[in-house]
């Protein structure tokens, strides 16, 4: 599905139901990378973000790069950012 060109903030939710420190992965969104996502205790969850990215070709790609275990997302949210709004980074 196409997405309008512009700036976006992305949030990710990760949960660990198996065992503590079972998985570790990097997340690539656009040209940026979050390193070391998912290192959680058993039955713990975490919200990551916001991650600011720009879309210029009508699509946003989210890539999970395995380091340990299989990467799993429990949820995600994508919000458009009004033009001119400064980043929180």
């Amino acid at each position: 599905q196409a997405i309008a060109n512009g700036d976006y903030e992305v949030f990710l939710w990760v949960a660990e139901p198996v065992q503590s420190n079972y998985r570790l992965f990097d997340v690539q969104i656009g040209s940026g990378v979050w390193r070391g996502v998912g290192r959680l205790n058993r039955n713990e969850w975490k919200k990551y973000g916001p991650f600011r990215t720009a879309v210029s070709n009508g699509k946003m790609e989210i890539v999970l790069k395995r380091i340990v275990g299989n990467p799993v997302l429990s949820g995600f949210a994508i919000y458009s950012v009004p033009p001119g709004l400064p980043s929180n980074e």
Side-chain angles (χ1 to χ4, degrees), residues 15 22 28 39 53 70 77 86:
Y22 186 72
Q28 180 178 345
R39 185 67 84 189
T53 189
N70 293 322

Side-chain angles (χ1 to χ4, degrees), residues 34-71:
W34 268 330
R35 301 213 181 271
V37 172
R39 185 67 84 189
L40 302 171
N41 291 321
R42 183 170 187 242
N43 296 325
E44 183 180 16
W45 67 272
K46 184 172 182 179
K47 177 183 177 184
Y48 294 89
F51 183 85
R52 178 76 64 98
T53 189
V55 171
S56 60
N57 60 358
K59 64 181 179 179
M60 179 188 301
E61 189 172 56
I62 300 174
V63 179
L64 308 179
K65 297 182 177 184
R66 177 187 189 272
I67 298 171
V68 175
N70 293 322

